[in-house]
Amino acid sequence: HLFKSVIGQRLMFKESQIVIDSLITMINKGITALPVGDGVYVQESMVDDALSVLKKTYVRYCGFEPMISIKR
């Protein structure tokens, strides 16, 4: 299991940085968001804006676009 290894800890930290940075950006854009587990809840009308923020933030940290699924 990688979770107990140094690389696992680094990946979890990077994920938390991405989520926190995304949430701050969403707040600044007026998007109300609630982080839950590995996801973020937003109003239906804000899904596209939130998705854009998440993708841009991920690219900034990782260098490539993530695959993100949307559950409605």
Side-chain angles (χ1 to χ4, degrees):
H1 293 233
L2 293 177
F3 289 118
K4 294 182 180 179
S5 69
V6 172
I7 193 167
Q9 292 171 358
R10 287 183 182 161
L11 288 171
M12 288 187 289
F13 180 67
K14 184 172 277 198
E15 178 189 28
S16 68
Q17 288 178 304
I18 292 167
V19 171
I20 290 168
D21 195 0
S22 294
L23 290 171
I24 290 169
T25 302
M26 287 182 210
I27 289 168
N28 290 336
K29 292 179 172 276
I31 303 169
T32 302
L34 176 66
V36 179
D38 288 340
V40 178
Y41 284 114
V42 297
Q43 292 177 325
E44 182 76 29
S45 62
M46 296 292 185
V47 169
D48 290 337
D49 293 332
L51 184 61
S52 176
V53 168
L54 285 166
K55 285 183 177 181
K56 287 177 184 177
T57 305
Y58 193 96
V59 168
R60 196 168 65 247
Y61 277 89
C62 299
F64 59 93
E65 193 169 303
M67 293 176 44
I68 298 176
S69 61
I70 299 173
K71 295 181 182 178
R72 297 179 192 253

